[in-house]
Amino acid sequence: MKRGVDEAGLDGDGAVDANGHRYTQPPSKVLHLRNLPWDTTSDELKALCHSFGQVVQTKMNVGTNKNQAFVEFIEIGQAIAMLNYYGTSPDPAQIRGKSVYLQYSTRQEIVNSTRSDTDSNVLLVSVDDTGGAAVSIDV
């Protein structure tokens, strides 16, 4: 007996796409993308996602091989629409011809990442024993 599917695309055991892949995480406005080209840009992720809604944040180059990323939509329905579309489409999500795997993130928002509308740089400075001399850093 087949169980019913709710509007989020989840049945009692998680959503199942056309290829039989099971999504066990509950819906989130953050999607986890795997199998990306290692030099994927934030603009490429936004281009993949733009027809489903507005991307407010991305977090790039995560995972051991730096081939994973997170994308946060402004609304959860947009993330659900993208996952449902690619979960039932015969054509997989792709960046530069490489199939990308999508799943809901365990998080509801991306923390400590670059917002899509601003640039951010990090400078890490370590100062060891200056012998009492003043240290000045101009950035």
Side-chain angles (χ1 to χ4, degrees):
M1 181 171 133
K2 185 151 177 92
R3 299 173 100 168
V5 177
D6 66 16
E7 69 275 359
L10 292 176
D11 63 23
D13 297 320
V16 179
D17 71 10
N19 300 314
H21 298 111
R22 185 170 298 281
Y23 302 108
T24 57
Q25 295 299 325
S28 166
K29 63 182 180 177
V30 179
L31 296 181
H32 176 218
L33 292 81
R34 300 180 288 118
N35 199 43
L36 296 165
W38 68 269
D39 57 346
T40 300
T41 66
S42 182
D43 287 340
E44 287 175 306
L45 287 180
K46 291 174 193 172
L48 178 66
C49 301
H50 87 277
S51 61
F52 300 98
Q54 181 182 353
V55 173
V56 293
Q57 291 191 80
T58 61
K59 186 170 185 174
M60 307 290 302
N61 302 321
V62 299
T64 305
N65 297 323
K66 306 292 185 197
N67 66 344
Q68 300 178 42
F70 294 96
V71 174
E72 180 181 339
F73 285 94
I74 199 163
E75 295 178 5
I76 193 170
Q78 297 165 343
I80 291 169
M82 183 172 179
L83 199 67
N84 284 345
Y85 175 81
Y86 284 116
T88 58
S89 173
D91 300 318
Q94 292 187 348
I95 292 183
R96 285 187 255 140
K98 188 171 184 180
S99 293
V100 176
Y101 302 104
L102 307 168
Q103 64 188 39
Y104 294 115
S105 172
T106 57
R107 309 239 181 235
Q108 291 298 317
E109 65 182 24
I110 296 173
V111 180
N112 297 327
S113 73
T114 303
R115 291 223 173 243
S116 62
D117 57 350
T118 61
D119 289 329
S120 174
N121 294 311
V122 176
L123 173 65
L124 175 62
V125 177
S126 177
V127 179
D128 293 325
D129 190 16
T130 63
V135 175
S136 175
I137 299 174
D138 294 323
V139 182

